[in-house]
């Protein structure tokens, strides 16, 4: 019993010393401190501000009106009245409109054919031709969506007027045109805003990126200075590596307990991004997320011989982490190999759970699968981190003894 008590007491002392040492290292290393503060807060604020308009409005569109009748002008007026489309120029022919498009004066072309009004009045079908760049999905969706909506309203107006000309009442004409009434309800991202879609994902991703970068920088410095065994002497003792790892994870968790309310409570509120969960639920969810990322960072930091190596590696890791999360592209489209890779990266369940909590009004039970997944990754990376940290400390001791013998 006394041995267990002594082991526990030494573990508590090691926990406190590690917590203090790691905190002092973060404060004294300007690169690490600025990484946590500037990258986490400033970059997220900048990204949120960039997308704060949420949706694209008044996309410039060229009109090629080959008909020139009153009905075609009414169609152009309806298109110009939409929120997303701004008809800035009319062109005599398609070639002139193409010149404006390729010079980026306009982002789309709408062409009204000859005999537009004549065909409609005689009951023949006519065609509105739309050109839009599908390489830019935001402009493409905006132009095509507005043209489709105007086509629907314009067609409805023509049909209803024809029915009314036969003596049918307006209500009856409307019912005849649309016998099935569709009610569409947008869930969660009600205004289809890009910031509401993107920023919560980036918040969770940047937590991982900043943690891995900070841990990599500190680890690279200790490896260059051969100081891991000096700063954390209990690593080589029985059970000492456990207290060291837990202290590091708890410190980084506390740092984000301060940062998360600023991002979620202040920045989201300023830019109109909804938060549909309590801060307590978010805290409980991010604990295993931060723990798993910290232990992952310690595990892979063994490969960093210099501070700069961590930055290069993590820049390369950040984009795949976003792509493999399943939020930018459905997981169902991945091969088995990429599904496995996505499941071992903490940001995958972390981003999914964070988005569900903050944007989809999910209860904690709804993110229990992601939460358990993160705890599983925490255990796996804890074991790997413990082994790698202990091996590094042993190598440093052997290296130190070798240097003393040679000197």
């Amino acid at each position: 019993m006394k041995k267990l008590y002594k082991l526990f007491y030494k573990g508590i002392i090691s926990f406190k010393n590690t917590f203090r040492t790691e905190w002092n290292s973060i404060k004294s290393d300007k690169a690490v401190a600025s990484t946590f503060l500037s990258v986490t807060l400033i970059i997220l604020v900048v990204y949120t501000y960039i997308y704060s308009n949420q949706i694209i409005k008044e996309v410039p569109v060229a009109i090629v009106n080959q008909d020139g009748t009153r009905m075609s002008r009414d169609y152009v007026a309806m298109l110009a009245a939409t929120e997303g489309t701004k008809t800035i120029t009319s062109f005599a022919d398609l070639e002139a409109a193409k010149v404006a498009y390729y010079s980026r004066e306009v982002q789309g072309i709408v062409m009204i054919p000859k005999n537009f009004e004549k065909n409609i009045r005689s009951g023949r079908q006519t065609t509105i031709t739309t050109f839009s760049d599908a390489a830019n999905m935001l402009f493409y969706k905006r132009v095509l969506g507005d043209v489709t909506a105007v086509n629907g309203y314009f067609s409805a107006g023509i049909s209803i007027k024809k029915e009314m000309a036969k003596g049918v009442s307006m209500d009856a004409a409307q019912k005849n045109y649309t016998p099935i009434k569709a009610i569409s309800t947008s869930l969660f991202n009600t205004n289809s805003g890009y910031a509401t879609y993107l920023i919560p994902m980036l918040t969770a991703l940047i937590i991982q990126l900043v943690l891995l970068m900070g841990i990599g920088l500190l680890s690279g410095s200790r490896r260059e200075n051969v100081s891991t065994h000096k700063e954390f002497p209990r690593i080589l003792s029985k059970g000492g590596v456990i207290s060291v790892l837990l202290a590091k994870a708890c410190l980084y968790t506390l740092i984000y307990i301060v940062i998360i309310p600023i991002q979620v409570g202040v920045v989201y509120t300023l830019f109109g991004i909804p938060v549909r969960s309590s801060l307590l639920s978010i805290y409980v969810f991010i604990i295993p997320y931060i723990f798993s990322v910290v232990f992952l960072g310690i595990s892979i930091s063994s490969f960093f011989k210099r501070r700069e190596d961590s930055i290069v590696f993590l820049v390369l890791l950040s984009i795949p982490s976003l792509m493999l999360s399943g939020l930018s592209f459905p997981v169902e489209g991945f091969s088995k190999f990429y599904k496995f890779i996505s499941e071992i990266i903490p940001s995958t369940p972390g981003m999914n759970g964070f988005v569900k909590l903050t944007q989809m009004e999910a209860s904690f039970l709804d993110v229990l699968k992601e939460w358990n997944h993160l705890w599983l990754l925490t255990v796996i990376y804890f074991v790997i981190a413990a082994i790698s940290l202990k091996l590094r400390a042993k190598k440093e001791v052997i290296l130190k003894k070798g240097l003393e013998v040679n000197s």
Side-chain angles (χ1 to χ4, degrees):
M1 195 67 161
K2 287 184 178 180
K3 289 183 178 180
L4 287 174
Y5 177 77
K6 285 182 179 180
L7 191 64
F8 178 75
Y9 179 75
K10 288 179 180 179
I12 294 296
I13 298 300
S14 176
F15 182 94
K16 292 180 179 178
N17 291 337
T18 301
F19 194 96
R20 188 183 305 110
T21 301
E22 193 78 359
W23 175 241
N24 289 334
S25 297
I26 292 172
K27 288 193 300 181
S28 59
D29 193 318
K30 292 181 180 179
V32 177
S34 63
T35 296
F36 278 104
L37 293 176
S38 63
V39 175
T40 305
L41 294 176
I42 296 175
I43 288 184
L44 278 173
V45 170
V46 170
Y47 270 123
T48 310
Y49 175 73
I50 290 172
Y51 299 112
S52 59
N53 288 331
Q54 293 276 13
I55 57 175
I56 294 178
K57 297 180 180 180
E58 296 189 349
V59 177
V61 172
I63 298 294
V64 181
N65 189 352
Q66 296 179 333
D67 192 46
T69 58
R70 179 179 176 180
M71 190 174 286
S72 66
R73 290 194 296 272
D74 289 343
Y75 181 92
V76 173
M78 285 183 67
L79 187 62
T82 59
E83 184 182 40
T85 305
K86 178 184 178 184
T87 54
I88 59 168
T89 313
S90 294
F91 293 89
D93 55 60
L94 183 59
E95 293 304 318
K98 284 182 178 180
V99 173
Y101 174 79
Y102 288 122
S103 64
R104 292 300 175 189
E105 294 176 18
V106 296
Q107 296 295 336
I109 302 171
V110 176
M111 188 170 71
I112 302 173
K114 289 181 180 179
N115 301 320
F116 175 76
E117 182 174 346
K118 183 180 179 181
N119 288 337
I120 290 173
R121 292 192 181 281
S122 60
R124 292 194 295 269
Q125 189 179 51
T126 189
T127 303
I128 297 291
T129 306
T130 306
F131 300 90
S132 185
D133 186 5
N136 190 318
M137 296 303 294
L138 293 178
F139 285 135
Y140 175 77
K141 179 184 175 183
R142 185 81 268 185
V143 173
L144 188 63
D146 282 356
V147 171
T148 302
V150 170
N151 286 347
Y153 283 116
F154 203 81
S155 299
I158 293 168
S159 297
I160 291 170
K161 285 179 181 178
K162 285 183 177 180
E163 290 292 312
M164 291 175 65
K166 297 176 183 178
V168 179
S169 66
M170 180 178 287
D171 289 340
Q174 288 176 342
K175 290 177 182 179
N176 291 337
Y177 181 75
T178 54
I180 299 175
K181 185 179 180 181
I183 299 176
S184 177
T185 304
S186 298
L187 300 176
F188 312 126
N189 190 355
T190 53
N191 62 352
S192 300
Y194 198 65
T196 303
Y197 162 73
L198 184 66
I199 298 304
M201 288 194 296
L202 282 180
T203 302
L205 181 63
I206 287 176
I207 289 175
Q208 175 178 277
L209 178 64
V210 170
L211 278 173
L212 293 178
M213 191 176 294
I215 292 167
L217 288 171
L218 290 176
S219 179
S221 296
R222 288 172 182 141
R223 189 159 184 175
E224 289 176 1
N225 300 325
V226 196
S227 61
T228 302
H229 69 290
K230 293 179 183 178
E231 295 187 22
F232 311 110
R234 281 281 299 166
I235 286 178
L236 296 175
S237 302
K238 185 177 180 181
V241 71
I242 296 175
S243 58
V244 170
L245 288 174
L246 290 178
K248 286 172 174 282
C250 289
L251 171 61
Y252 292 115
T253 301
L254 284 175
I255 291 173
Y256 274 97
I257 282 177
V258 176
I259 292 175
I260 286 294
I262 298 173
Q263 175 62 22
V264 173
V266 178
V267 178
Y268 281 24
T269 302
L270 285 175
F271 294 104
I273 298 175
V275 179
R276 300 183 175 97
S277 181
S278 67
L279 194 58
L280 177 61
S281 297
I282 296 173
Y283 277 157
V284 174
F285 180 79
I286 67 168
I287 288 172
Y289 181 41
I290 295 175
F291 271 46
S292 61
V293 173
V294 169
F295 298 146
L296 171 63
I298 294 170
S299 301
I300 62 178
S301 63
S302 302
F303 301 103
F304 302 147
K305 294 182 179 180
R306 298 172 300 173
R307 287 166 58 90
E308 295 79 11
D309 294 341
S310 64
I311 298 174
V312 175
F313 175 80
L314 293 169
V315 167
L316 295 174
L317 180 66
S318 59
I319 300 301
S321 296
L322 178 62
M323 298 299 294
L324 292 170
S325 67
L327 292 170
S328 60
F329 187 81
V331 177
E332 292 76 13
F334 295 161
S335 65
K336 290 182 179 179
F337 173 77
Y338 287 112
K339 281 183 182 179
F340 173 75
I341 296 297
S342 69
E343 288 173 357
I344 64 174
I345 301 176
S347 59
T348 300
M351 291 167 68
N352 279 280
F354 188 79
V355 169
K356 285 180 181 179
L357 280 175
T358 59
Q359 303 304 307
M360 298 183 178
E361 207 170 352
S363 67
F364 199 81
L365 290 175
D366 295 322
V367 296
L368 202 57
K369 179 183 176 182
E370 287 82 4
W371 196 64
N372 291 332
H373 188 169
L374 288 169
W375 277 119
L376 177 61
L377 292 179
T378 297
V379 173
I380 293 171
Y381 289 129
F382 178 86
V383 174
I384 299 172
I387 295 170
S388 64
L389 202 57
K390 203 155 192 172
L391 287 175
R392 188 197 304 179
K394 285 181 178 180
K395 286 181 181 178
E396 287 184 0
V397 171
I398 293 170
L399 179 62
K400 183 180 179 183
K401 288 180 179 178
L403 292 172
E404 289 176 353
V405 170
N406 292 332
S407 61

